Amino acid sequence: MSSVLIQALQFVLALSLLVTIHELGHFLAARMFGIRVDKFYLFFNPWFSLYKRKIGSVEFGIGWLPLGGYVSIYDSRERLYNEETALKERLKDAKAELRKAKRSGNEAAVAEFNDAVATLETDIERVREEQRTLAPEPDELRAKPAWKRLIVMVAGVFMNLVAAMVIYAGILCAWGEDYLRNENVVHGYSFSEPAKELGFEDRDRILSIDNEAIGNAEEIGMKLLLSEADRNITVVRNRDTVTFTIPMERLIAMREAREFAGMYTPIQLPYVVDGYSNEAVEALGYRVGDQIVAVDDVAACSGEVISPMLAERKGRVANVRVLRYETDSVTLAERPVYVDIATPINEEGMIGIMLKEQPAVEFTHVDYTFWESIPAGVKSGIREVKSYWDQLVMMVNPDTKLYKEVGGFLSIGSVFPDTWNWLAFWNITALISIMLAVMNLLPIPVLDGGHVLFALYEIVTRRKPNEKFLEVAQTIGFMLLMLLLIYANGNDIMNLFK
């Protein structure tokens, strides 16, 4: 099975699950308050459905357009809406015939179609007036008090948030949690060339960003890449504490160039001299405590990187750079000194030194019992909600240029791994669930957040918004949503050609 197909299957499975959970929230809340539901659909079904079955008064089905799903709540005005749509189509045809009659100079036809247009316009106004004045039936949503309608509208978002927290709790209970404490990276980090251009140096131990201590090593990348201001970085460098500033513009340029992959890597086991296998090696100029930091001008900080480099140069002489600390004769302070040593590499890929035993950098693993995983899952969900909200706020700030990186379905699908991995699948599904919840709460008409806003207005003012205003707002909200979808998916298509 191809990697693209595996990613697509994971995306469709996650989306299907989350859309069903979201719509189930609306469905259950509506039924709880005695509101009639006509349809419950996974995916949209313009023109036809892939599957449908009526159970009781509700039609359950699967559409063919995987852009979401819907719960259709009964509205006694539906007949009038359909009548208005049909009248508008007839009006459109009548106006077209009227234009033809005018062009042909047929006065009788002009008079006939003028009358038809006027009659149809009158009928449309009559139907609209009926829509505004038709009293709701007891099992309609609009017949219920505003607070009940508010609960129905937020139920989908609530279910997505609960689903994310349940998934996180399940992950912690089944797999536990693995993370790297920044304080455990005792040997510092090695950095990519783009990161070095920002001001980092190999072996830097990062203490804080903007005076906030780093707990989880993963926080470093998030704090740097999602920047809305310059970042002040404090590191331990060559036994000294150093603070430097990275301009926001340079961080944005790095993010846009997608140079953040492998930006920093913890140094596992530094290559530190602890002795010699023969006097000839000592005569080359090595000292106990020297740390090898480069081979033939190629930076290398850890043994797992240096050993293969030496093996590639067996039987040759390599220029090995070491870092050592010497005491200043005047200030008595230790200062770093870099020394290049021409070093013969034997046929076994060795240089004849003994390495100092170093504590390995270890990930922290935490196991959770069933009961411990529940509050931990809730905490993880709240943390991710805050993180995603912060990103949305940054997105509307043009200075961050984060709006350029808004992605659509291809971007979301590409987040899934190209091999099936249940841990990764559930982590990403939980994150998408939070994204759906937060996005749906945005105060845009046609989204749940728009309906919530109108319901809150009614609760506070004790009067319903004007029907005409609601109609216009829904139209504008739909257009905004379509523009956002076009923009996001357009970005995906453009990125395919970059």
Side-chain angles (χ1 to χ4, degrees):
M1 188 180 292
S2 72
S3 59
V4 174
L5 183 57
I6 290 174
Q7 287 180 309
L9 285 174
Q10 291 179 90
F11 173 61
V12 172
L13 178 59
L15 186 64
S16 301
L17 175 65
L18 297 178
V19 168
T20 301
I21 289 172
H22 181 93
E23 298 305 330
L24 185 63
H26 293 308
F27 178 81
L28 293 176
R31 297 301 290 263
M32 180 175 67
F33 293 128
I35 299 169
R36 176 175 159 185
V37 177
D38 288 337
K39 294 180 180 180
F40 185 121
Y41 261 79
L42 169 65
F43 304 148
F44 295 112
N45 60 321
W47 304 299
F48 67 93
S49 304
L50 296 179
Y51 169 83
K52 61 181 177 180
R53 181 181 179 185
K54 197 156 189 175
I55 302 176
S57 63
V58 184
E59 179 183 302
F60 294 89
I62 301 175
W64 59 270
L65 190 60
L67 298 180
Y70 69 94
V71 164
S72 177
I73 294 176
Y74 172 67
D75 190 332
S76 59
R77 297 169 297 181
E78 190 68 30
R79 172 186 58 81
L80 296 172
Y81 292 141
N82 293 336
E83 185 178 348
E84 181 185 355
T85 300
L87 287 170
K88 284 180 177 178
E89 285 296 318
R90 289 173 58 191
L91 178 61
K92 179 181 176 182
D93 294 339
K95 285 182 175 180
E97 293 298 329
L98 177 60
R99 287 192 294 270
K100 288 181 184 178
K102 286 181 178 179
R103 285 196 297 270
S104 66
N106 187 335
E107 294 298 330
V110 168
E112 177 187 349
F113 287 114
N114 266 327
D115 290 341
V117 167
T119 300
L120 288 168
E121 288 177 341
T122 300
D123 288 343
I124 289 173
E125 285 304 315
R126 171 185 56 78
V127 171
R128 286 176 174 172
E129 182 61 25
E130 287 184 42
Q131 292 171 6
R132 288 189 287 268
T133 58
L134 183 65
E137 297 178 13
D139 58 355
E140 283 190 66
L141 177 65
R142 62 194 182 108
K144 305 301 179 181
W147 67 269
K148 288 186 177 180
R149 284 185 273 123
L150 176 64
I151 290 175
V152 172
M153 293 307 163
V154 300
V157 169
F158 175 76
M159 287 290 281
N160 277 134
L161 291 176
V162 170
M165 293 174 184
V166 169
I167 291 172
Y168 282 132
I171 289 171
L172 294 173
C173 186
W175 285 280
E177 182 180 18
D178 291 287
Y179 64 96
L180 178 61
R181 292 181 183 271
N182 184 58
E183 63 185 30
N184 289 351
V185 187
V186 293
H187 309 303
Y189 296 92
S190 61
F191 295 91
S192 65
E193 287 304 316
K196 290 177 181 177
E197 292 175 7
L198 297 177
F200 290 103
E201 293 184 10
D202 285 335
R203 297 174 303 285
D204 279 353
R205 288 174 53 209
I206 301 174
L207 298 180
S208 66
I209 297 178
D210 290 338
N211 295 319
E212 290 186 10
I214 304 298
N216 188 331
E218 288 185 0
E219 295 175 16
I220 297 170
M222 293 293 292
K223 287 181 178 291
L224 292 177
L225 295 173
L226 300 176
S227 304
E228 53 185 341
D230 297 347
R231 292 297 196 208
N232 295 310
I233 316 297
T234 301
V235 303
V236 173
R237 178 178 296 166
N238 296 328
R239 302 182 183 177
D240 293 325
T241 300
V242 177
T243 298
F244 61 96
T245 300
I246 306 177
M248 179 181 71
E249 293 75 15
R250 295 185 66 183
L251 290 169
I252 291 173
M254 181 180 186
R255 191 184 70 226
E256 290 183 331
R258 301 185 181 277
E259 295 175 333
F260 44 80
M263 186 170 66
Y264 61 101
T265 306
I267 298 173
Q268 294 289 338
L269 293 170
Y271 216 87
V272 179
V273 177
D274 195 42
Y276 320 101
S277 59
N278 56 68
E279 294 180 355
V281 176
E282 183 178 8
L284 293 174
Y286 285 98
R287 296 182 189 174
V288 172
D290 283 353
Q291 180 179 345
I292 296 177
V293 295
V295 177
D296 287 338
D297 295 323
V298 178
C301 299
S302 59
E304 64 267 25
V305 175
I306 295 172
S307 293
M309 294 175 70
L310 296 177
E312 291 174 359
R313 292 163 173 79
K314 61 184 180 182
R316 294 160 46 191
V317 175
N319 182 53
V320 178
R321 182 171 299 149
V322 300
L323 166 66
R324 66 175 58 138
Y325 293 90
E326 295 182 348
T327 303
D328 189 282
S329 60
V330 178
T331 64
L332 300 181
E334 286 189 324
R335 58 188 179 88
V337 176
Y338 292 92
V339 179
D340 288 338
I341 302 175
T343 306
I345 313 298
N346 65 26
E347 291 300 326
E348 296 177 350
M350 310 287 286
I351 58 179
I353 62 174
M354 293 179 286
L355 298 180
K356 183 178 181 180
E357 290 189 10
Q358 301 279 348
V361 176
E362 295 183 354
F363 278 75
T364 298
H365 178 80
V366 182
D367 286 316
Y368 293 84
T369 65
F370 175 79
W371 296 112
E372 289 172 337
S373 69
I374 295 173
V378 171
K379 184 178 178 180
S380 295
I382 293 172
R383 182 183 65 244
E384 292 301 330
V385 168
K386 183 181 182 303
S387 174
Y388 187 64
W389 177 255
D390 289 342
Q391 292 177 49
L392 281 181
V393 172
M394 289 179 58
M395 207 170 290
V396 298
N397 179 357
D399 293 337
T400 67
K401 298 184 181 180
L402 201 59
Y403 62 89
K404 293 183 178 180
E405 299 182 44
V406 174
F409 297 112
L410 289 177
S411 291
I412 298 173
S414 65
V415 173
F416 288 96
D418 55 9
T419 56
W420 200 281
N421 182 308
W422 281 111
L423 176 58
F425 171 80
W426 287 118
N427 262 311
I428 296 168
T429 299
L431 181 58
I432 295 175
S433 191
I434 285 173
M435 292 166 60
L436 286 174
V438 174
M439 289 294 293
N440 263 290
L441 264 186
L442 294 178
I444 300 175
V446 310
L447 291 180
D448 293 341
H451 296 294
V452 167
L453 185 65
F454 295 139
L456 288 173
Y457 170 83
E458 184 178 342
I459 291 171
V460 172
T461 64
R462 297 184 180 279
R463 64 184 184 194
K464 291 186 177 182
N466 180 273
E467 288 288 339
K468 185 66 177 177
F469 169 78
L470 289 177
E471 183 181 331
V472 173
Q474 291 280 83
T475 302
I476 293 173
F478 179 78
M479 292 173 63
L480 286 173
L481 190 60
M482 288 301 102
L483 286 173
L484 180 60
L485 283 173
I486 292 170
Y487 176 74
N489 289 284
N491 276 351
D492 282 348
I493 294 171
M494 293 297 292
N495 288 333
L496 291 176
F497 296 97
K498 288 183 179 180

